[in-house]
Each structure stands twice: as C-alpha cells, then as structure tokens.
Amino acid sequence: MISAKELKNPQVVRRDLLASIVVFLVALPLCVGVAVASGVPAELGLVTGIVGGLVVGLMPGSKLQVSGPAAGLTVLVYEAVKEFGLGTLGPIVLAAGLLQVVLGAARFGRWFRAISVSVVQGMLAGIGLVIVLGQLYALADTEQPGSGLSNLAGLPGLAVEIATDGEALTAFGLGAGTIAVLLVWPKLPAAVRVVPAPLAAVGLATAAAYLAGLRPLVADVNGLLHAIELPGGAEFGRLAEVAVIGTVLAFALIASAESLFSAAAIDRMHDGPRTDYDKELVAQGVGNTICGALGALPMTAVIVRSAANVQAGATTALSRVAHGMWLLLFAALLPAAIGIIPLAALAGILVHAGCKLVPAREFGPLWREHRGEAVLLAVTALAIVVTNLFEGVVLGLLLAVVKSAWETSHVQLSTHQLTGGRVVVTLTGNATFLRLPRILEQLEKLPQDQAMELDLSGLRHLDHACRVALENWARRHNDAETDPVTIRR
C-alpha cells in the first residue's frame, strides 16, 4: 500500500518514479520473452506485468517486490497450452489464483517457508535446464522437439542444422550475441550500466539485424485488445478434468513457493518493513485471478525485477505500481515495437535466465557439507527434465519427507549386565519402522540363555510397527529354559 504521507514527500516520489523506469526497462523484454517461450501471444506477457504492477502493487504484503510473468513458470505454461489449449489457460490460472487467496486467508503463507530449500533449488534448477534445452532451438529459429529428454537428444541434429543452414546460423548468431552482451554488461562502467542489461541486449540484437538487412523470425503482434480473449463456459468446464486439476495445483504451489522465497530474498536486501507472507500470498492470488479472467499468463514475484527495484533506490510501493503504468502505456501506444524484436534475441534472454536458475557454483560446497541435500537437489532437477515439472516437484517433496524422517529417527541400543546375571537392553531416541531392521538385527545377536529386560522408557517416540516387532521379539527370543524377556515402558 502507498500512504498519503509518502506521496507528499517529493524526494520519495522522484526516487521511486526513477526506480520504476529501471524496473520497466528490465521487465519489458522479460515479459515478452516469457510469453513467446510459453507459446502464447507476446502481449499476454505484458498483460500479466501490468496486472502485477497496477493491482498487486497496490496490495499489502511486500512493498518492494515486483510481480509479473516469470521464467520459472514457462515450462508449466508451455505444457498446459500444448495439452489443453490456449483457451483453457485462463481458467487454470484463475483457479490457481483463487486457491492462493484461500491459502493466504487461511494463513498458510508462512508454511511455504517449511518447504525444503533443496527441493526449491532443485525445482528452479530443473526449470532452468528445461528452459535452456528448449530455447537453444529458438536461438536458431527452429522448433523444439518437445519434452526435456527429446530436446536433449536432438542437440546433435540442432548443431548440424546450425552449421549447414544459413538462416539458422544467422539467428543463432543473434541469440549468441544477446547472451554475450548479458554476460559482459555487468563488467562495463557504471555510466553504461544505467541501461538494464536485458534491454541493451535486445536493443543491440534488433539494431544489428536491421542494419545488416537480416530477416530473422519475430513475434506476431496484433495489439493488446486483440490478444485478450476472455474464457468461456466450455473452457471453465474443463476444470473438472483430473489432469487440469493437477495443473491448477502445480501452478498454485510453484507460483506461491517462488513468490514467497523471492520475498525472503528481497527482505534481506533492504531495511524496510518485512513481508507479511499471508498477505503477500493473497495479493499474488488476486493478481492471478485477474490474469486468469483475462486469459493471460500466471504471475509470480520475480527476483530479477524485485532486486532491480531495490537496487534502484525504491522505498515504497509507488515504484512497482508505476512500472505497471509504463508497461500499460507501452502496450497501448507502441505495440508494433515488439514485432521488430528477433525471437532469437528473446531466446538468448531466456537461455541466460535459465542458466542463472541452475545453482552450479553452490552445488560443490553443498555436496561437501550436506551430501543428502545435494542429492535431493539433483534428483528433483533431473526428475523435472525426465518427467515433467509437477511430477518432479512431488518426487522432490516426497524424498525430502523421507530424508527428514530417516534423519530424525535416530535410535540407540545399549546393554549392561546387573548383579546376578540379568541383562538390561535399553533403547533411547525415536524408534520408527525406518530403523526397525537395524534394531532387530542387534537384538537377535543377544544370547538366548540369559534373563533379560527390554527398557523402552528412554524412547521419545515408539511407532506401532516397532512396538509390535519388539513385543514379538521379547516373546520369542529366549529359549524354553530361560524366563521370557520382560519389557519396561
């Protein structure tokens, strides 16, 4: 929310309006690029960015976080459009938004922070790999085969096509040049870096194509009003399908997790008010509900735009609201400008963004210090590439639960002999079925011709499977000439 007191301060207004221009320049190529990569009209990416600024920007939650279409949902949107059609995308996004509102109102926002960081990093890494594998084909103005594995298998053929086809080589050169600018730009003088790297890269690629007389593929632009198609009753009827329901859950889960993890990261970058996670989740849900009603892309809070907002000196929500206004003015007054941007340049933007989602530098230290977490990250990422986003994330969450259960179910078994020869076997810790084979293996090694007592009073937790197994062992262990094992609880 923007307070009247903040708007009365001319220094705050001037600083935040300048920051909003920086965010707009960062958001513009990303909104268009994400839309094209998702298989929808480029204008729909701008619609989501506009809603993220003008609607979500005015809502409570996080003052400095900027919302819009994100590379993290590109894969899921592409799969949904391919399977269910563009018309069904709106109802899916709307239903996911309503679910987010319900979760936020029920104060579930804080619980998203309980999701394993390794699963989230693995999810983002898997998304990044799928984006890179798909957009490598777009770099050469070539249609991608389809799934992550198909795209991977087709890379040798893509390399041959680039080497032998002049048009593919030209497009690839533009895309590779875009990536090169993105890599070099942060190392240039501060005066040059006033222009955001994505805008500079796209602008230079577009200028190079025009000056060289090249004719690469460009986005098909029909204007904002022509791109918006309100969903009808038939499309909403598909929400009853099991596959569509699964997609809605995936949208809501991933968009919420990405937004709230982004909020946590942005909170560490400034000294202002902290994010209210439940209110932020409601705000994201309202934004997605409106985007769905307009048939546009889903939104999340985007770390790149949010970080640019903070680094540009923004201190209030005015900057993110104003960035939505700049997007609206651009979409209304200069839509044709989108139609001159080479698709290969937009693909270069997304290849760079996808690579940044893969935590290559962090993986080595994580492997050395927390090997289990590193395995969890890698398995989640690879599962997304091999299967799909939803199944990969579910597998990662299940593995995280199993890993946590295994690590917390520590149990120790000790024995000591009392005067008179009686042996006391003591179990301490948490006895669960996960540790049952090890417990029974140790118990069965004990002698069968001595009086024994099984002391369970030191256990913090004893599940049903362990209790039954221990009672059976106590009843059967000793031979016929020795008293049965007694149990102390």
Side-chain angles (χ1 to χ4, degrees), residues 87-447:
T88 311
L89 178 63
I92 290 174
V93 175
L94 188 149
L98 291 176
L99 180 57
Q100 286 181 296
V101 171
V102 171
L103 292 174
R107 303 181 66 81
F108 272 82
R110 68 192 68 183
W111 289 104
F112 276 90
R113 290 182 289 175
I115 297 176
S116 168
V117 175
S118 294
V119 173
V120 175
Q121 288 181 321
M123 176 191 75
L124 295 176
I127 291 170
L129 290 172
V130 174
I131 289 173
V132 171
L133 288 173
Q135 293 305 304
L136 284 175
Y137 291 86
L139 280 178
D141 283 349
T142 301
E143 187 175 351
Q144 57 178 295
S147 66
L149 282 179
S150 300
N151 291 340
L152 183 62
L155 290 181
L158 175 64
V160 171
E161 182 175 354
I162 293 172
T164 58
D165 187 315
E167 291 183 357
L169 181 60
T170 298
F172 185 79
L174 288 172
T178 302
I179 297 171
V181 171
L182 291 170
L183 295 174
V184 171
W185 204 256
K187 301 175 183 178
L188 297 179
V192 178
R193 287 186 279 111
V194 170
V195 180
L199 183 68
V202 168
L204 290 172
T206 303
Y210 176 77
L211 294 174
L214 305 177
R215 302 183 66 181
L217 292 180
V218 295
D220 184 18
V221 179
N222 297 307
L224 200 60
L225 294 179
H226 288 86
I228 296 175
E229 293 187 13
L230 305 182
E235 285 81 10
F236 279 103
R238 299 201 64 182
L239 289 175
E241 298 178 17
V242 175
V244 175
I245 292 172
T247 303
V248 168
L249 294 175
F251 270 55
L253 171 65
I254 294 167
S256 301
E258 189 168 344
S259 295
L260 298 183
F261 273 92
S262 173
I266 295 302
D267 280 350
R268 292 194 292 269
M269 296 178 64
H270 67 90
D271 298 323
R274 305 294 93 178
T275 299
D276 184 314
Y277 287 89
D278 296 316
K279 290 181 179 179
E280 180 65 21
L281 188 54
V282 171
Q284 294 294 326
V286 170
N288 274 320
T289 302
I290 295 173
C291 287
L294 296 174
L297 288 171
M299 74 168 58
T300 73
V302 188
I303 187 66
V304 175
R305 274 160 260 184
S306 304
N309 191 36
V310 174
Q311 292 163 358
T315 56
T316 74
L318 175 61
S319 59
R320 60 182 190 165
V321 175
H323 117 277
M325 181 182 66
W326 305 136
L327 286 173
L328 176 59
L329 289 174
F330 176 87
L333 302 177
L334 297 170
I338 301 172
I340 65 173
I341 301 173
L343 293 183
L346 296 176
I349 295 284
L350 289 174
V351 167
H352 181 260
C355 288
K356 290 175 69 175
L357 291 175
V358 181
R361 292 182 179 178
E362 295 84 357
F363 189 78
L366 184 65
W367 176 262
R368 290 189 293 270
E369 298 173 14
H370 305 284
R371 189 156 297 182
E373 295 294 324
V375 171
L376 190 59
L377 187 159
V379 169
T380 304
L382 292 176
I384 290 172
V385 174
V386 172
T387 58
N388 57 54
L389 186 56
F390 182 67
E391 292 178 9
V393 171
V394 170
L395 176 62
L397 291 173
L398 290 175
L399 287 178
V401 171
V402 171
K403 175 179 173 292
S404 178
W406 177 262
E407 290 179 344
T408 56
S409 64
H410 289 299
V411 63
Q412 293 182 336
L413 186 150
S414 60
T415 62
H416 65 279
Q417 194 167 14
L418 302 177
T419 304
R422 189 176 186 82
V423 176
V424 178
V425 182
T426 305
L427 287 175
T428 56
N430 298 296
T432 70
F433 70 95
L434 293 171
R435 301 287 180 171
L436 189 53
R438 180 172 173 268
I439 294 172
L440 293 176
E441 183 180 346
Q442 290 180 278
L443 290 174
E444 287 166 359
K445 291 179 181 178
L446 296 174

